[in-house]
Amino acid sequence: MKKVAVILSGCGAYDGAEIQEAVLTLLALDRAKAEVTCAAPEIAQKHVINHITGEEMVDEDRSVITEASRITRGNIQSLDTIQSGDFDAIIFVGGFGVAKNLSSYAFDGPDYDIDPEVLDLIHHAHAEGKALGFMCISPVLAARALGEKGVQLTIGNDRETAAALEAKGAKHVDCPVDEAVTDKENRVVTTPAYMLAQSITDAEAGINKLVASVLEMA
């Protein structure tokens, strides 16, 4: 049985983990009989967004791990308690929480950096030869952590985002929503998911391929 860590960045497309991406990932892993551990950092969300209006709820303060636990029915670990050596693979779910909570991409654009715990986890996993999956906007994490390795990845076909990732040393590959890009040398799999998806079915096709490729590589 493959052991997989799934990393979340909150709960909600506009300020945390993209819920449909998270559920599709967990479903695909469960169908594959993988043993899953979900984790999130114990940090404050940068924003809390009203998902009906799209407006910031300025008087709200929420915890990334507490919000992420809504998706996992409370079964979640703090990111600082997990070790890459305990897993065969690690998958990062997308959503604006990646760009706001796990990195500064939403605020700093091409000059962004990523959370030190996330950076360390990716570095250690890569050094140990673990399989890594990144969907939606989360390839920004791979570009920052593994750009110097020339990691090959995709966020779909958005030129501005692709240029920001390439500025970190990554090699961007345009990819349709129902496909995934596999960098066998760096053991990284990426798929556009809701960077391109117009429906949950659109997102599912690429996520299923990402999960299958990650598990095959693990």
Side-chain angles (χ1 to χ4, degrees):
M1 181 181 290
K2 302 291 177 65
K3 295 182 178 181
V4 182
V6 175
I7 311 303
L8 303 174
S9 58
C11 179
Y14 304 136
D15 57 14
E18 214 297 323
I19 297 170
Q20 293 180 359
E21 290 179 2
V23 172
L24 289 169
T25 300
L26 295 172
L27 179 60
L29 288 168
D30 190 62
R31 284 176 169 159
K33 308 300 182 185
E35 181 181 325
V36 176
T37 298
C38 293
E42 290 194 60
I43 58 176
Q45 285 188 190
K46 296 297 190 297
H47 289 150
V48 178
I49 301 298
N50 181 321
H51 280 59
I52 298 174
T53 65
E55 296 177 354
E56 183 180 359
M57 300 169 68
V58 294
D59 295 326
E60 289 273 352
D61 294 309
R62 299 189 186 180
S63 157
V64 169
I65 190 171
T66 301
E67 292 301 295
S69 71
R70 295 174 179 272
I71 298 172
T72 65
R73 299 174 63 87
N75 188 10
I76 197 163
Q77 294 189 26
S78 177
L79 188 63
D80 63 5
T81 68
I82 70 168
Q83 303 292 326
S84 58
D86 294 333
F87 303 97
D88 300 300
I90 300 172
I91 296 176
F92 289 83
V93 172
F96 267 104
V98 170
K100 295 178 177 180
N101 303 324
L102 304 190
S103 77
S104 65
Y105 180 72
F107 312 107
D108 298 331
D111 296 325
Y112 75 95
D113 209 337
I114 68 177
D115 181 272
E117 288 182 358
V118 173
L119 183 64
D120 285 346
L121 181 63
I122 297 172
H123 277 165
H124 286 140
H126 182 266
E128 294 161 358
K130 308 295 183 179
L132 292 161
F134 302 86
M135 66 190 68
C136 191
I137 193 62
S138 70
V140 298
L141 307 175
R144 168 62 181 86
L146 303 176
E148 63 183 17
K149 308 289 186 181
V151 64
Q152 182 174 286
L153 46 72
T154 189
I155 45 79
N157 57 22
D158 182 78
R159 296 266 56 89
E160 182 178 356
T161 307
L165 273 57
E166 290 181 331
K168 300 295 187 186
K171 299 175 182 177
H172 185 265
V173 179
D174 283 359
C175 178
V177 68
D178 58 348
E179 294 292 339
V181 169
T182 299
D183 180 340
K184 292 184 179 179
E185 183 176 350
N186 286 299
R187 303 178 67 76
V188 169
V189 186
T190 52
T191 192
Y194 270 105
M195 288 294 289
L196 289 179
Q198 298 298 308
S199 69
I200 191 170
T201 306
D202 280 353
E204 181 186 28
I207 289 171
N208 283 347
K209 289 181 178 178
L210 179 147
V211 170
S213 295
V214 165
L215 291 175
E216 181 180 358
M217 202 183 304

